[in-house]
């Protein structure tokens, strides 16, 4: 392996176990413990990607889990972060954002016309002439983007877990470990979270060759591991901070919702790249990236290095290279750094150029040399590695999200937290503390203060350990007249791009970000925002504080959607008739938490099967399982008054044995539920709700009972009662063979309720007509429901009975013009807009939502109408939610639509502006493909407008099929 080093003291690789994978068709070998990038670099593959805009060759930059250059495409997922994802046998990887291959990317031609593509050009260039914009849009979308999403994906869900502790420490470097130990010594429970697979942080890569830190490393690590009240969570990061010290911790196995009483942020700093010509050539990287490569994976960052630095950390990197036998051609110090590490470098005979100014990196496909100036004299050094250590920016996302305030400190030339919320503490380099001993002390006092806050003790005033000298260059930016000095590697943003944005008036930090897109790529500005702020401050003549910084919102780091979604955390409810549905091979759908048959596959296609079910109901008889309806019992002295207050129609004047439509609205008059109410006795009602609202309706009713102080009891019987709807011209003939109840129109009229025995079982029968035919809802206890169902199916076989599912029911009810709450209504729809003024009894003294409905009655601007499609072509079939357009403006949307074999046409419901609701008005529906199709407004119901089929004469009922 070309760049593999001798064994390192703390390396993460297992040299006894090899791994092999392919990258761009070439076989790559490495060791177990290697990440993809380290394995590639070890064999000399220094070009790992192409840039987003100009498709320039790119190598490793930060090697810290926010490297845009090292995003790769795997077979099963895009944008694999190669600097942290372990190399595994059999992987097949390619570069993202290339046209052809990584070595020969046709997209690189874009760079030749780069001067014609200034920042923000897409905002202006492609909008005129307007008719060409769709073509430009398609071209831009093809050119843009990173990895390719596999649309043939399989569902992946990771569990969400909950964790509680007294103190959580974010970051397990020297400061974080010291904070965790100090807090744990106070007797509180501590969680220590770190994004790396092992604790140690910079102690294990920046100080790995510093013998003076061996005792600190041993003490901190062993103490953390030995203390029973410290829980260590590795390979995980705090993705978001939320109120009351809740943290979203993203782990490889899913999201942890962690609740703490105090938070210590020891997340450290991001090393910032310098800005100079060709600073993106493969071989130019941050010094900390080189140290991670060597210490963790035993990989040399280069063979001959030049180090550009403004701080002691650059000299430490030079010593690490030197110890590993690599050539350090020179150190280019932008100032005059002093300290022990500087002395060691000079003693090793490494040339140091003080007050150096970088000019450019040279090379075509990768770094070949560095040009710089000292005292006006230009020098050039050949090299294959240029390591940058010119400054740091706080990894302050958790603090920003918690509401902390930062201010620029001109001593250390870094943004530091100056105001922290209660219960939030910071320590280490994020605090501007850089000496290792001081970082440990700063961590100890932060951990102690956090524990004392939890214990209710008064915290001691902290000692200020902030560094006394700068560790960041105040302006590590050297513009070049020929450009190609990149500020943002994600978006290929150069200095001239930011200058252009500022010159056009985008001189506010948030505006500049959005116009130029700096900081909006996959790295989320971790290595570009600070340099962008410095450029804006200099060009506007403001201080860093006056310039400000952008907001750090959750998620701090890209988090998989599977982690955010989590596992299914809801019950899967089955109706009493579920076994029957399974035997009939029903195709199920989710309805709230229930599984319901969508349709039964009795024909070759889904559509034909649904059509057969509809035909059975219309021409003979069908049976549907409606056990999923919410079922509430209301009884007590004030039951009638409660029902009057809850529903828009008067309920207290219902006769015993009668049923009535029950519509519920909220305080704003918006429709939230509907069902059927029946009266068992003067003080006893039974009411159904929609499937998805049973629990919410029950909670609302319970709340109102308490608010109104009524003497009434409400029971949720949804899971205790099974229900079915027997419907069709022959339904009475079948039911009459199972009960002694008088089913005649006189004995059991339309909209009546009766309690009787069916198949020897006590049941409630309601004669309703949701599907527009003679029908009976049968409600009974869940244990007996299947018995009645099977008896109906057995007797009904002589009549060609068909079980029917939700889709057939939706089409049947559409033919009758009945609404479905949540489909034909939205979060703003009131009963007048739903074309249901008959359901609102404003003469009642009071009901929920009445004050709002009194006003809304005169403010109606839209209404639900029925329509029929004027085209019969299947290709002209609109979808639900397709828009209605008039003169280029939206006037409504389709809420329900279906092809009715009964009526031999396509019918639907649409919510439209009232000006377009007149009968015979022609509406234009915009199809998904952009074409328009005409529809005509017609009255509802579409089917049996007089409702005669719901109340048939017994002597004229249909014959058996």
């Amino acid at each position: 392996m070309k760049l593999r080093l001798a064994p390192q003291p703390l390396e993460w690789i297992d040299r006894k176990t090899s791994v092999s994978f392919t990258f761009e068709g070439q076989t790559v070998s490495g060791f177990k413990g290697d990440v993809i990038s380290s394995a590639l670099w070890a064999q000399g593959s220094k070009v790992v990607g192409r840039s987003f805009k100009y498709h320039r060759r790119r190598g490793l930059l930060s090697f810290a889990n926010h490297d845009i250059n090292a995003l790769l495409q795997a077979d099963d997922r895009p944008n694999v972060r190669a600097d942290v994802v372990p190399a595994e046998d059999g992987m097949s990887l390619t570069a993202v954002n290339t046209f052809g291959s990584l070595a020969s990317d046709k997209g690189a031609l874009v760079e030749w016309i780069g001067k014609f593509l200034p920042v923000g050009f897409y905002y202006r260039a492609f909008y005129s002439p307007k008719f060409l914009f769709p073509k430009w849009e398609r071209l831009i979308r093809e050119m843009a983007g990173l990895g390719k999403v596999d649309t043939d994906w399989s569902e992946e869900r990771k569990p969400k877990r909950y964790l509680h502790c007294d103190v959580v420490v974010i970051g397990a470097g020297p400061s974080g470990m010291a904070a965790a130990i100090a807090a744990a010594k106070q007797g509180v429970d501590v969680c220590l979270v770190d994004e790396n697979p092992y604790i140690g942080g910079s102690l294990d890569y920046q100080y790995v060759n510093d013998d003076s830190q061996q005792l600190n490393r041993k003490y901190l690590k062993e103490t953390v591991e030995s203390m029973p009240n410290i829980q260590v969570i590795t390979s995980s990061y705090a993705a978001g901070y939320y109120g009351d010290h809740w943290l979203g911790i993203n782990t490889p196995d899913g999201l942890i919702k962690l609740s703490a009483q105090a938070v210590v942020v020891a997340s450290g700093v991001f090393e910032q790249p310098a800005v100079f010509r060709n600073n993106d050539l493969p071989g130019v990287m941050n010094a900390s990236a080189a140290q991670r490569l060597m210490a963790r994976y035993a990989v040399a960052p280069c063979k001959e290095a030049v180090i550009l630095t403004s701080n002691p950390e650059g000299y430490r990197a030079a010593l690490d290279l030197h110890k590993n036998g690599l050539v350090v051609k020179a150190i280019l110090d932008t100032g005059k750094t002093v300290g022990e590490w500087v002395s060691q470098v000079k003693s090793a005979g490494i040339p140091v150029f003080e007050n150096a100014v970088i000019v450019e990196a040279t090379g075509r496909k990768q770094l070949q040399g560095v040009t710089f100036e000292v005292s006006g004299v230009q020098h050039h050094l050949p090299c294959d590695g240029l390591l940058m250590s010119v400054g740091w920016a706080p990894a302050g996302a958790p603090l920003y999200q918690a509401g902390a305030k930062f201010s620029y400190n001109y001593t250390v030339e870094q943004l530091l937290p100056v105001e922290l919320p209660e219960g939030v503490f910071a320590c280490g380099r994020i605090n501007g503390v850089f000496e290792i001993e001081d970082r440990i002390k700063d961590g100890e006092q932060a951990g102690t203060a956090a524990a004392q806050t939890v214990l209710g003790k008064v915290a001691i005033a902290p000692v200020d350990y902030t560094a006394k000298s700068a560790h960041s260059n105040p302006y590590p930016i050297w513009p070049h007249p020929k450009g190609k000095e990149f500020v943002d590697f994600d978006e290929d943003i150069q200095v001239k791009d930011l200058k252009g944005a500022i010159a056009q008036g985008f001189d506010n930090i948030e505006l500049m970000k959005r116009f130029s897109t700096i900081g909006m790529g996959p790295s989320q500005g971790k290595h570009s925002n600070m340099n962008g702020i410095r450029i804006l401050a200099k060009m506007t003549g403001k201080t860093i504080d006056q310039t400000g910084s952008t907001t750090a919102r959750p998620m701090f780091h890209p988090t998989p959607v599977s982690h955010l979604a989590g596992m299914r955390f809801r019950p899967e409810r089955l109706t009493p008739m579920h076994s029957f549905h399974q035997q009939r091979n029903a195709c199920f759908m989710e309805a709230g938490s229930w599984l319901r048959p969508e349709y039964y596959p009795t024909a070759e296609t889904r559509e034909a099967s649904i059509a057969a079910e509809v035909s059975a109901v219309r021409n003979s008889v069908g049976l549907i399982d409606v056990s999923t309806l919410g079922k509430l019992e209301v009884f007590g002295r004030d039951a009638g008054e409660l029902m009057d207050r809850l529903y828009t129609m008067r309920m207290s004047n219902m006769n015993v044995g009668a049923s009535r439509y029950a519509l519920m609205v909220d305080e704003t008059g918006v429709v939230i539920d509907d069902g059927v109410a029946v009266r068992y006795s003067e003080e006893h009602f039974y009411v159904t709700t929609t499937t998805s609202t049973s629990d919410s309706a029950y909670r609302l009713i319970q709340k109102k009972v308490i608010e109104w102080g009524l003497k009434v009891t409400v029971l949720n019987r949804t899971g205790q009662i099974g229900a079915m709807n027997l419907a069709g011209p022959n339904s009475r003939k079948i039911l009459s063979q199972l009960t002694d109840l008088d089913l005649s129109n006189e004995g059991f009229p339309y909209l009546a309720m009766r309690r009787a025995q069916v198949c020897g079982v006590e049941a409630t029968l309601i004669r309703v007509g949701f599907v527009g035919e003679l029908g009976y809802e049968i409600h009974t206890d869940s244990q007996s429901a299947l018995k009645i169902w099977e008896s109906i199916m057995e007797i009904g076989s002589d009549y060609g009975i068909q079980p029917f599912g939700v889709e057939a029911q939706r089409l049947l009810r559409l033919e009758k013009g009945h609404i479905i709450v949540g489909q034909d209504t939205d979060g703003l729809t009131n009963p007048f807009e739903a074309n249901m003024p008959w359901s609102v009894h404003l003469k009642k003294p009071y009901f929920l939502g009445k004050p709002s409905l009194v006003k809304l009655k005169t403010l109606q601007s839209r209404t639900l109408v029925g329509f029929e499609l004027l085209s019969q072509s299947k290709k002209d079939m609109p979808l639900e939610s397709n828009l209605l357009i008039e003169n280029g403006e939206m006037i409504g949307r389709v809420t329900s639509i279906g092809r009715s074999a009964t009526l031999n046409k396509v019918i639907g419901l649409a919510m439209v502006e009232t000006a377009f609701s007149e009968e015979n008005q022609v509406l234009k529906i915009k199809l998904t493909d952009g074409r328009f199709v005409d529809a005509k407004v017609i009255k509802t119901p579409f089917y049996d407008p007089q409702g005669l089929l719901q109340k048939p004469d017994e002597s004229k009922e249909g014959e058996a099929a």
Side-chain angles (χ1 to χ4, degrees):
M1 298 182 187
K2 297 179 180 179
L3 292 174
R4 189 72 73 174
L5 297 172
Q8 301 295 297
L10 300 173
E11 66 184 25
W12 290 359
I13 57 175
D14 176 6
R15 294 176 183 258
K16 296 178 181 178
T17 307
S18 298
V19 296
S20 178
F21 61 93
T22 62
F23 176 61
E24 293 279 310
Q26 301 297 314
T27 300
V28 180
S29 298
F31 296 122
K32 183 179 180 180
D34 264 319
V35 292
I36 298 167
S37 291
S38 64
L40 287 170
W41 205 266
Q43 74 166 24
S45 300
K46 290 190 176 183
V47 179
V48 298
R50 291 277 184 164
S51 70
F52 177 73
K53 183 176 178 182
Y54 297 125
H55 293 253
R56 286 170 63 90
R57 292 177 176 84
R58 291 282 172 82
L60 298 182
L61 173 64
S62 64
F63 203 55
N65 199 17
H66 50 79
D67 207 327
I68 179 62
N69 298 343
L71 294 184
L72 305 181
Q73 177 78 41
D75 288 337
D76 58 344
R77 64 190 59 206
N79 303 330
V80 173
R81 291 180 175 261
D83 54 357
V84 291
V85 174
E88 295 179 0
D89 274 324
M91 279 182 163
S92 178
L93 303 166
T94 56
V96 301
N97 197 45
T98 60
F99 294 86
S101 67
L102 180 62
S104 180
D105 179 12
K106 297 179 179 63
L109 295 173
V110 173
E111 189 171 10
W112 291 93
I113 60 170
K115 64 182 179 180
F116 302 109
L117 305 174
V119 66
F121 75 95
Y122 29 77
Y123 294 124
R124 303 181 300 272
F126 302 117
Y127 288 92
S128 180
K130 190 174 182 179
F131 72 90
L132 285 178
F133 177 72
K135 295 182 179 180
W136 285 116
E137 183 182 30
R138 284 193 296 271
L139 178 61
I140 293 171
R141 288 184 182 278
E142 288 176 6
M143 290 292 294
L146 295 171
K148 296 179 181 178
V149 177
D150 181 6
T151 55
D152 189 23
W153 53 272
S154 57
E155 182 177 289
E156 178 182 316
R157 292 179 180 268
K158 297 287 188 176
K160 288 181 183 175
R161 291 164 287 164
Y162 289 83
L163 188 62
H164 302 268
C165 65
D166 296 316
V167 175
V168 59
V169 180
I170 302 172
S175 301
M177 290 188 291
I181 294 168
K185 285 182 177 180
Q186 298 291 312
V188 300
D189 291 327
V190 179
C191 287
L192 179 61
V193 181
D194 195 88
E195 66 180 331
N196 296 297
Y198 307 101
I199 62 174
S202 60
L203 267 178
D204 287 359
Y205 66 84
Q206 194 172 51
Y207 293 86
V208 66
N209 294 310
D210 190 334
D211 294 338
S212 67
Q213 295 307 313
Q214 289 185 15
L215 289 178
N216 276 333
R217 182 183 302 110
K218 179 179 175 63
Y219 166 74
L220 290 171
K221 284 190 170 185
E222 291 183 357
T223 304
V224 165
E225 292 168 357
S226 66
M227 297 191 76
N229 56 336
I230 297 179
Q231 180 176 353
V232 178
I233 305 172
T234 54
S235 299
S236 306
Y237 54 85
Y241 174 96
Y242 303 90
D244 299 323
H245 305 324
W246 277 93
L247 294 171
I249 307 296
N250 190 46
T251 78
D253 298 320
L255 201 66
I256 294 177
K257 295 183 176 181
L258 190 152
S259 174
Q261 297 187 60
V263 179
V264 178
V265 179
S267 49
V269 287
F270 301 123
E271 187 157 34
Q272 301 295 283
V275 179
F276 52 89
R277 179 167 170 79
N278 293 328
N279 61 336
D280 66 330
L281 281 175
V284 181
M285 68 175 73
N286 289 337
S288 59
Q291 290 174 303
R292 292 186 189 95
L293 264 175
M294 292 185 290
R296 294 174 176 175
Y297 306 104
V299 175
C302 57
K303 294 178 179 178
E304 295 182 322
V306 172
I307 296 177
L308 172 68
T309 189
S310 303
N311 51 43
E313 287 81 7
Y315 288 84
R316 177 68 262 174
L319 292 171
D320 292 337
L321 290 164
H322 183 69
K323 184 169 184 177
N324 278 295
L326 303 175
V327 176
V328 181
K329 301 288 285 287
I331 289 182
L332 312 181
D333 194 328
T334 62
K336 186 174 183 179
T337 306
V338 297
E340 180 184 350
W341 289 341
V342 177
S343 300
Q344 291 181 32
V345 164
K346 292 180 178 178
S347 297
I350 299 172
V352 176
F353 292 86
E354 295 178 341
N355 299 310
V357 176
I358 191 77
V359 175
E360 66 177 317
T362 59
R364 192 172 71 86
K365 294 184 178 181
Q366 61 187 57
L367 181 71
Q368 293 177 332
V370 178
T371 300
F372 63 98
E373 288 184 2
V374 177
S375 300
V377 178
Q378 194 167 98
H379 303 265
H380 182 80
L381 290 173
C383 63
D384 66 334
L386 173 57
L387 312 186
M388 304 172 288
S389 184
V390 295
W392 311 89
L399 294 180
Y400 278 111
Q401 293 165 14
K405 288 183 169 50
F406 282 72
S407 179
Y408 193 77
N409 185 299
Y410 286 93
T411 300
V412 292
E413 298 289 353
Q414 180 183 317
L415 284 166
L416 303 182
V418 293
E419 186 178 323
L420 298 173
E422 184 177 353
V424 177
F425 305 86
C427 61
R429 289 194 289 184
I430 196 173
N431 252 0
V433 181
F434 280 85
E435 294 299 325
I436 187 66
E437 299 296 339
D438 289 342
R439 287 162 63 185
I440 294 171
K441 292 175 184 177
D442 198 37
E444 288 173 345
Q445 71 174 3
T448 301
Q452 289 174 337
T453 296
V454 172
L455 298 172
K457 298 179 180 179
V458 178
I460 301 172
V463 177
D464 184 6
Y465 292 105
T466 306
K468 303 301 186 289
S469 61
H471 282 252
S472 293
N473 190 304
Y475 198 73
I477 298 158
W478 293 276
H480 194 283
K482 293 183 180 180
K484 297 298 184 288
E485 67 287 78
F486 292 95
V487 182
D488 190 321
F489 292 77
D490 294 30
E491 307 285 340
D492 278 355
I493 303 297
Q494 305 171 58
V495 174
K496 67 177 183 180
D497 293 321
L498 296 184
K499 289 182 177 179
I502 296 166
Q504 293 181 66
F506 298 95
D507 54 0
N508 172 279
I509 187 64
E510 294 287 358
L511 293 178
M512 185 182 77
K513 171 182 176 179
R514 282 154 180 79
F515 183 76
S516 68
T517 69
I518 184 173
M520 294 175 65
S523 72
Q524 297 180 233
K526 294 178 177 68
H527 51 57
S528 62
N529 278 353
M530 195 63 231
N531 284 333
I533 293 169
R534 294 185 193 278
I535 292 171
L536 179 58
K538 184 171 184 178
M539 289 198 64
T540 57
K542 297 179 179 178
T543 65
I544 298 294
D545 282 351
Q546 289 171 335
T547 303
S549 57
T550 56
T551 302
R553 299 182 180 90
M555 297 293 176
F556 152 76
H557 197 64
T559 302
V561 175
S562 60
H563 291 199
L564 298 177
M567 299 291 285
R568 290 176 63 97
F569 193 68
R570 62 182 186 272
E572 186 176 82
R573 306 183 71 177
L574 309 178
T575 72
M577 280 71 84
H578 187 75
S579 60
F580 173 89
H581 306 321
Q582 287 181 313
Q583 292 169 8
R584 290 295 184 99
N585 297 316
C587 293
F588 290 98
M589 60 175 285
E590 290 187 353
S593 58
W594 295 91
L595 282 185
R596 295 192 69 183
E598 181 186 15
Y599 68 97
Y600 300 84
T602 57
E604 292 185 359
T605 65
R606 175 181 180 275
E607 291 73 19
S609 297
I610 295 169
E613 294 171 16
V614 170
S615 176
V617 175
R618 289 282 179 247
N619 297 305
S620 183
V621 66
L623 184 64
I624 184 171
D625 184 356
V626 293
S627 301
T628 62
L629 292 174
K631 309 172 198 75
L632 308 177
E633 284 199 53
V634 179
F635 52 90
R637 186 187 71 190
D638 297 329
E641 183 177 352
L642 175 64
M643 295 292 288
D644 274 349
R645 289 178 176 227
L646 289 174
Y647 296 99
T648 58
M649 298 178 74
R650 190 180 294 276
M651 297 292 182
S652 60
N653 65 350
M654 284 174 58
N655 294 325
V656 174
S659 70
R660 186 166 291 171
Y661 180 66
L663 182 71
M664 185 184 290
V665 300
D666 63 14
E667 286 87 347
T668 66
V670 171
V671 174
I672 58 173
D673 185 41
D674 72 343
V676 174
V678 300
R679 193 166 198 168
Y680 283 152
S681 68
E682 290 297 318
E683 297 183 356
H684 191 180
F685 291 82
Y686 177 68
V687 60
T688 63
T689 74
T690 60
T691 294
S692 59
T693 62
S694 59
D695 291 337
S696 59
Y698 177 63
R699 288 194 296 268
L700 175 63
I701 294 172
Q702 290 281 53
K703 176 183 176 183
K704 292 304 178 183
V705 168
I706 296 171
E707 284 183 6
W708 294 331
L710 300 178
K711 299 294 184 182
V712 65
T713 299
V714 182
L715 297 179
N716 189 344
R717 301 290 305 280
T718 302
Q720 299 171 335
I721 296 177
M724 62 205 80
N725 185 10
L726 178 65
N730 288 313
S731 58
R732 181 154 36 201
K733 290 184 176 182
I734 295 171
L735 187 58
S736 65
Q737 299 179 54
L738 300 173
T739 181
D740 294 332
L741 181 68
D742 181 3
L743 298 178
S744 67
N745 287 331
E746 293 75 19
F748 193 176
Y750 181 59
L751 296 182
M753 178 279 298
R754 297 291 185 266
R755 304 178 83 174
Q757 285 201 344
V758 180
C759 300
V761 176
E762 291 293 332
T764 294
L765 284 74
I766 311 170
R767 189 171 162 189
V768 292
F770 187 60
V771 299
E773 301 291 344
L774 173 66
Y776 303 87
E777 273 192 17
I778 305 169
H779 296 241
T780 189
D781 65 274
S782 295
Q783 292 79 5
S784 304
L786 181 59
K787 175 184 177 181
I788 295 176
W789 176 280
E790 290 178 337
S791 298
I792 291 174
M793 290 299 300
E794 182 179 354
I795 294 174
S797 62
D798 293 336
Y799 298 85
I801 192 170
Q802 288 271 13
F804 64 101
V806 174
E807 285 304 314
Q809 183 190 47
R810 286 177 174 173
L811 186 54
L812 289 162
R813 66 86 203 176
L814 176 59
E815 292 174 346
K816 286 297 294 181
H818 296 313
I819 72 164
I820 296 178
V821 174
Q823 177 172 319
D824 299 300
T825 67
D826 56 31
L828 298 173
T829 306
N830 62 62
F832 304 116
E833 294 174 332
N835 198 21
M836 300 167 63
W838 50 268
S839 67
V840 181
H841 293 181
L842 293 177
K843 292 183 179 180
K844 282 199 298 182
Y846 172 80
F847 62 86
L848 187 65
K850 178 184 175 181
S852 297
L853 289 178
V854 170
K855 296 180 180 179
L856 290 170
K857 186 177 182 180
T858 61
L859 299 175
Q860 186 175 346
S861 61
R862 59 178 186 161
T863 188
L864 192 68
V865 300
F867 67 84
E868 66 174 77
L869 207 64
L870 297 183
S871 170
Q872 291 296 317
S873 174
K874 288 186 177 180
K875 69 177 182 179
D876 291 338
M877 182 71 171
L879 301 176
E880 289 165 359
S881 294
N882 276 164
L883 301 181
L884 279 67
I885 306 294
E886 185 70 27
N887 296 325
E889 299 293 329
M890 186 185 82
I891 61 166
R893 65 179 177 88
V894 176
T895 63
S896 291
I897 193 165
R899 186 176 298 277
S900 170
T902 308
L903 303 172
N904 193 30
K905 59 185 176 182
V906 175
I907 57 173
L909 299 175
M911 186 67 72
V912 301
E913 295 178 7
T914 52
F916 300 93
S917 63
E918 293 296 324
E919 190 175 359
N920 295 320
Q921 169 81 45
V922 175
L923 306 172
K924 291 190 177 297
I925 302 174
K926 187 174 183 179
L927 302 180
T928 305
D929 62 9
R931 294 182 299 112
F932 286 87
V933 63
D934 290 341
K936 182 174 68 175
V937 176
I938 59 175
K939 286 184 178 180
T940 57
F942 305 102
Y943 174 77
D944 185 25
Q946 304 301 319
L948 298 179
L949 296 176
Q950 295 168 316
K951 300 170 279 188
D953 185 333
E954 294 101 314
S955 64
K956 297 180 181 180
E957 288 184 17
E959 298 297 328

